[in-house]
Each structure stands twice: as C-alpha cells, then as structure tokens.
Amino acid sequence: MTAVIECKDVKRTYVSGKIEVQALQGVSLNVSAGEFVSLSGPSGCGKTTLLNIIGGLDRPNGGDVRVEDQWLNELSNSQLADLRMNRIGFVFQAYNLIPVLSAAENVGFIMQLQGKSTGERRRRAKQVLDSVGLSGMENRRPAELSGGQQQRVAVARAIASSPAIVLADEPTANLDSKASDALLQLLRQLNEEEGVTIVIASHDPKALEYARRHVRLVDGQIHSDA
Amino acid sequence: MGGLKIMAPIAWRNLWRRKSRTLLTITAIAMAVASLIILGAFMRAWGGSAFDRTVEALTAHGQIHAEGFLDDPTVEHAMPQPAGVLLDVLSGQSVAAWTPRIVALALIRSERESAPIMIYGIDPKRESAVSFLKPNAIDGAPLTSATSKGLIMGRSLADRLQVERGRRVVISAQDENGDIAEIGVRVTGFYKGQPDLQKYAVFVSLKEAQALLGLEGEVSEIAFLAPQRDGINVAIEDLKQAAPDLDIRRWDELQPFAKAMIDLAEGANLIWIFVSFVLVAFGLVNTLMMAVYERMREFGLLQALGMKPVLLLVQILVESVYLVVFGALAGAIAGAVTVNAFSGGLDFGHLGIGAEMFGVSQVLYPKVSAAEITVACSIVIGLSILASLYPALQASRRVPVDVLTRAQT
C-alpha cells in the first residue's frame, strides 16, 4: 500500500540551557493509508516529538517527513497550517478545547476555518457529537463537561472535517478506564469504517491493544516495529 | 473578511473571560479620552479667551500705521485718514469693522498728581465695534461721537491722580511742530476691566486729539477686525495691496507675548495628548501581553488546528479594537457631559489676577464639538491599536509546539 506518512532519518535536538537533548536520532518510518499504529516507549523516548513533526507542529533538525504527497520541509508555516487544517486531525492529552466555544462550536471550528457554511457545520457537529456519545451536549462549554466528555469532544473535532490522518497524543492519559475504552473503540471504528489512518502515542497498554501495528521508541530511535 | 467573521465572536467572548481586567482597561482608555476632551476644551477656552482679550484690548485683528510709527510712536509718523482704495477695502467684505485712532505719548496732570499716559483719540461709534470700549464698559458718560468733549480713563489711573468724575485734568503732548500743546478736559467716565490699560490709557474724541496735536485730517492708527478669525490673512492681503506704503500687521505680530501664551495653551494640549497616549498604550500593551501570555497554549492549539498566524494576529487585534472602541465611546460621553456641564462658564475668580496677567478672563467657557470628540477618539483608537500590534505579533510568531506540547513529551 502507498505510504501516507513517510519519515526519512528524522532527527530532532532540543537545547535546554547548556544541555542538548537528542529527542529523535534518525527515525525512519512508513505508515500506509488506513493503518492504526501505536507509538510506545518510556517517557522522553520521543513519541510526542515524532507525532509533532509528522503533524507539522515542529520541524526536524535533520531528515524529512512526507505526508501524503507533500514533503514538510518544503512547506511554509502557512502551508503547514493548511495541511493540518485539511488533512490531519489532532487529539491531545490535555483535550485542548477552546474554552469560550461550546462543544458544537469546538467541533465545527476547523470546518469554520475551511469556510464551510454554518448549516453544514451544525449538521456535521451534531452528527459527530452523536457518534461520540454526546447527544444533547452541543451547547455546553468545556468547563461544563467532564474530562472524558471533553476528550470525546476533542476526538469529534479531530474527525469532523474528515481528515486522512488522526494523530493522538496520550488521548487516554486523563481518562478513567471506561472512558478510555469508549474513546479507543471510537478511534478503531473510525479506522475500520472510514479508513482513517491513526497514529497514537501512548503509555497505556490498553491503547496498544487497539492498534494493529506497534512501534516502540527508545532513546529517540525505533527499537521495534511489529 | 472571512477571518474577521470567524475571529470577531471569539474575540468578543475572550474579552469577557476576565471581566474585571477588561473593565479596568476600558476605564483607563475612557479616562484618557475624557481627559483629552476635557483638557482640550479648557485649553481651547483659555486660548480663545486670551485671543479675545488681546483683540478687544485695542489690538483688534490687525492694525495699520505709517512706516516707523511702531518704533517711534510720535506725531511725525501720522498718516492721512483712510480714503480712496484703502477706504474701499476697509468698507469691503474682507473687513468687518475698523476704527481710526490718534495715539500719542502724553503727560496728564490733576490738581494733585501727574502721570505719563498714552492718549487715544477715538471715534466712539467705530471704536465700540472693534474694541472693549463699548458704552456698557463705561462707568459714567461715554464719549458719543468723534467730536465729543470729555475724557475716559481707567480707575487705576484715576486713583493715582486722585480725580473723580467731573474733575478737570490737563493733558500735555508734543504737537506736530515740536511744541508742547495742552488741553484741559473734564473726566466724564471710567472704563471697566483691562487692568493693564487702566494704568496708562486715556480716551478722548478723535477731533479733540487731532486738535491737541495739530493733526487735522490725520490719524496714527487704524485698527480693524476681519469677519472671522480665519479671515485675518485675507484682510491683511487686501489691505496691503490697497496701501503698499503703510505698515500693516496681524495681531500676533503686534502682541507676541499673547501669541506665545496661546501657543503655550495649544502646546500643553499636545503634551497632554502625548502623556495620555503613553499611559493608555502601556496599560493596553500590559493588559494584552498578560492576556496573550496567559493564553499562549490556546494560541498554539489554534495554530495546531490549522489557524494561520495572520488569523491569530487578527483575533488579538479585534480584541484590542473592542477594548479601545468601548473605552473611547465611554470616554467621549464622559468628556462631552463634563464639558457641557461647564459650558455656562467656569469661574476662575480665585485666580483672577493671575489669569488676567496672562491675558485671559476670569470666566472660561469650555466647548467641545463633534469633530473634536472624533479627533480625540481617533487618536486614542488609532494609537492604541498600533500599540497592541506588539503583543499580537508576539503571539502569532510563536511556534505552536513550543507552547502546546512543552509539558507533554
């Protein structure tokens, strides 16, 4: 199958004061369309860094990443923003909802950036919120939702604009067991029924059970890929 | 426009996430605008009063003299009474009123004292249209025509000479032949106000002064008013064309100190505008910086979701626009209401002597127009938005991952 994500010898070094931290030390990885891949490994192994670079939130010091047919090093910040808006959905550990927007508005926000009409946004937001089990909560603001509900809104936002890829960074870290199961089930359903490529970075063994391919990172390098 | 449509409602809601901070910022902006309007109105009233006082204290909008008179105000520098083209211009549309005067240095003596004076021979009817010497400014009998008998002086000079109304005084001056000429005149009245003039200026009829100095058919000075203050230059130009051999000057050339005072008032207004803006700008930048840094993570998120940096800039600028527009509107209303409350006159009686020393009246009448309010608001709104660009640019230039994922790796 065609690789929808291609990482070629990706390196990322952070400098903190006088200390240099090599977060990624030459990672090469191909992810095909429709795969459900987990990234695991100990804290500081570079999971989030790799996810950020794939999503165009960060730039590597060496190597390059291709998402669909675009090499990210060739894109400007504005073009990266376009790529994220149109092709990539993000789910963050800390939910990261916009506090002044309701659940439906948060879900419809990316579509609003895409220039979709109000009616279309409302319909799609309701549909997606229904699918994540949040019927009737469209008008609630993040502060009025539980952690699990907020994370489901975040997932709904990530999938509402029908992205080709969903990148999820520790999506279950702040959820209880029941909410984690529901969320992971939702991601698998999305992957199986809509063919969305999912890359999930997590410590959570349960999260790893849902993925079909497991990539383990240690010290910024791929330790295993199965 | 699309970006504005997306960001405007979000910016509005963001504004009310910290109500007290938003209200404090709006209050600071409102106070700056209100102070600009109020102080501006008072400074303009001060400047206007100083101008009016200068004009009515015999200076008028301008004066015509024979060449050399202002350096040596003697009878040798008299000029013929206006006639021909000059009279046509004085009677035309560029001049609203004019009056001829005899002006000469003289000595006045009463039974008890003597004092150096400036004697003015005037045509009372014309004079009342140009200067403060209107009938209601006189205690006693005013001069009624260019041939009237009698003398009007200030109360200060009368006190010095120890004369009362009805008493005779003797005026001595050098006539056109260089001889000392004298006339005895009865004091018929005292003029009010004009503390400076009161010490030395006395008024007799034009005829009486001409007869004393042997200047039949001649005058020392013509004072004139233009129809409006902004028409003074037109009047001056017309008069200069009509009488190229005469010395024709504007009021501010004749009274440079008064001009300096008016300029000072206007300069103080500009300084206050600058100070107000600096205060508002720092307050606004501080508020926006706090708001921006507090929400840096949120801005990272917005960029992660695909919002372009320029839209972030728009969002923060829109929030600034909301703040400054509301602040400016509140300030405009407060300023206009305050100025309006004093439009009937604000009495500076307790500062009276000091105020009059600077050539302004004791009562100021502040006024403000819609145009002045618009200018004050525009200055604050424009400069404040400019000041808010800094935090907006700061936010839009941050790399999303720096603020979004620092705690997540």
Side-chain angles (χ1 to χ4, degrees), chain B residues 311-388:
Chain B
L311 267 185
L312 265 187
L313 193 76
V314 169
Q315 179 181 327
I316 297 168
L317 285 180
V318 169
E319 287 180 28
S320 306
V321 168
Y322 282 139
L323 280 173
V324 295
V325 167
F326 281 119
L329 280 177
I333 292 167
V337 167
T338 306
V339 171
N340 193 48
F342 291 108
S343 61
L346 184 62
D347 192 349
F348 283 99
H350 57 293
L351 301 174
I353 294 170
E356 292 203 359
M357 271 180 66
F358 286 104
V360 297
S361 62
Q362 292 185 16
V363 181
L364 294 183
Y365 299 91
K367 283 191 179 67
V368 66
S369 67
E372 287 155 357
I373 290 175
T374 307
V375 168
C377 289
S378 302
I379 289 171
V380 172
I381 289 174
L383 295 179
S384 300
I385 290 172
L386 213 58
S388 67

Side-chain angles (χ1 to χ4, degrees), chain B residues 247-268:
Chain B
D247 183 6
I248 301 170
R249 299 198 189 185
R250 278 171 57 97
W251 68 275
D252 47 0
E253 296 172 284
L254 298 162
Q255 299 287 350
F257 180 71
K259 171 75 165 59
M261 287 307 302
I262 293 165
D263 288 347
L264 181 69
E266 287 168 358

Side-chain angles (χ1 to χ4, degrees), chain A residues 82 84 96 100 105 169, chain B residues 13 17 301 303 308 408:
Chain A
D82 274 339
R84 290 193 295 268
N96 283 339
V100 295
E105 286 169 334
D169 187 13
Chain B
R13 292 186 200 177
R17 282 164 73 176
L301 165 72
Q303 291 196 63
K308 292 181 181 175
Q408 294 182 23

